[in-house]
Amino acid sequence: MTDGSIVARVRSDASLVSQGIDMNIGTSIRCWAIVVLLVSMGGGMNACADGTSWKEELLLHDGRKLIVERSIVRKGRHEPFQRPPIGEESLSFKHPVTHERIRWKDEYGDDVGMSNFGLLMLEVDQAAAYIVAEPRGCLSYNKWGRPNPPYVVFKFKDGDWKRIALQELPARFNKPNLVMSSPDDEAKQAGGRLITAEMVNRINTPVAAWAMQPQYKTILREAMKPGSPGVGCEELVYYKGAWVGPGDSIGRRMMDRMSK
């Protein structure tokens, strides 16, 4: 590894690979002129990426505070002249016990048209670290097994991030501590200043309708009622490059013909 950091990349095939990589800080790209040219030529929108990086202070379960570096790049499928979705997200921090520099990275997935997750919580326990995330949108929700409650949990230990069952997350880890909704916008509003733990709590305080949903107030341990927001996505399966219903024989035949 080139810089001693640990990287966990969430790839489009849902595999996790650890390796070292330098973090790009403070990148911001504007390319509307290129977008106009591409649209006029019938091209796609993925050529334009908008990146934001910032530092955020987390309040851990035991009262300690941890500063993390976060970065988001907006890119992916979207309507012309509409804002791209979050296409890549990374988070890095120095473990307070092992002093190891650890990095998490969620990469763009062609199958979902954006990144896979929205981050909710980072916690540490002795030499281990935990991340709780939610699938980003219905395609990701289906890709990651339709979890209920709608969380995907990862544990970092022995140099790697691995997915674990929600039941393996220590019960004392029960409150989201990362900026959850459009964190790059909140970082821009902060004007490059550190987003403190107090600011995180204020930003995450339930005001908007989405924030009133119980899975954002605390880390739920019991399944939610079927059809509730967060677990109400239509069931889909990924078949030969397209999402189809599990019993959609017409959709499967169409993809069979297209793949020949």
Side-chain angles (χ1 to χ4, degrees):
M1 292 181 287
T2 58
D3 65 352
S5 63
I6 302 295
V7 181
R9 296 186 172 185
V10 184
R11 301 190 183 278
S12 60
D13 62 356
S15 64
L16 292 175
V17 180
S18 292
Q19 64 183 44
I21 191 169
D22 291 328
M23 182 175 184
N24 294 322
I25 303 297
T27 59
S28 182
I29 303 172
R30 295 291 186 270
C31 55
W32 290 111
I34 297 176
V35 170
V36 172
L37 178 61
L38 287 173
V39 171
S40 66
M41 296 174 62
M45 296 291 288
N46 287 341
C48 184
D50 179 5
T52 305
S53 299
W54 70 97
K55 291 184 178 181
E56 190 169 318
E57 183 183 56
L58 311 186
L59 180 64
L60 301 177
H61 72 286
D62 57 6
R64 290 180 297 168
K65 292 182 177 180
L66 177 68
I67 293 179
V68 302
E69 295 177 344
R70 298 184 67 180
S71 180
I72 279 177
V73 175
R74 286 188 174 269
K75 65 178 185 178
R77 296 193 291 266
H78 61 290
E79 296 297 323
F81 304 106
Q82 296 297 312
R83 191 182 192 192
I86 294 176
E88 294 179 3
E89 183 165 6
S90 65
L91 177 151
S92 67
F93 63 99
K94 185 177 181 180
H95 196 290
V97 176
T98 67
H99 307 295
E100 184 176 18
R101 191 72 186 175
I102 299 172
R103 192 179 187 212
W104 157 274
K105 187 171 184 180
D106 179 7
E107 294 188 327
Y108 178 84
D110 286 324
D111 49 356
V112 296
M114 60 182 76
S115 62
N116 289 267
F117 303 114
L119 296 179
L120 304 178
M121 184 178 75
L122 169 68
E123 275 287 359
V124 296
D125 181 35
Q126 299 300 321
Y130 297 84
I131 278 180
V132 178
E134 65 169 347
R136 194 183 296 283
C138 283
L139 298 185
S140 182
Y141 182 72
N142 279 282
K143 173 180 176 177
W144 289 89
R146 302 179 59 82
N148 186 2
Y151 307 125
V152 181
V153 185
F154 294 93
K155 180 180 181 179
F156 182 89
K157 191 174 182 181
D158 300 326
D160 197 8
W161 288 101
K162 292 183 174 64
R163 185 179 182 180
I164 62 172
L166 177 61
Q167 292 77 10
E168 297 179 55
L169 180 72
R172 60 186 178 278
F173 300 160
N174 56 23
K175 185 176 181 181
N177 59 3
L178 289 161
V179 175
M180 296 183 287
S181 178
S182 300
D184 52 338
D185 290 342
E186 298 294 344
K188 291 175 182 177
Q189 290 187 24
R193 295 179 291 111
L194 171 71
I195 298 181
T196 65
E198 291 74 19
M199 293 169 66
V200 173
N201 184 62
R202 184 170 65 251
I203 292 168
N204 287 344
T205 298
V207 176
W210 70 266
M212 298 299 292
Q213 297 174 28
Q215 68 267 33
Y216 299 122
K217 296 180 181 179
T218 187
I219 302 300
L220 304 178
R221 302 293 174 148
E222 301 294 332
M224 300 173 66
K225 182 180 178 181
S228 299
V231 296
C233 292
E234 176 188 5
E235 185 175 358
L236 298 170
V237 294
Y238 196 63
Y239 183 76
K240 295 186 177 180
W243 291 95
V244 299
D248 185 0
S249 59
I250 296 176
R252 289 174 183 266
R253 287 199 298 270
M254 289 179 60
M255 296 311 300
D256 287 339
R257 288 196 296 269
M258 292 176 63
S259 63
K260 290 182 179 179

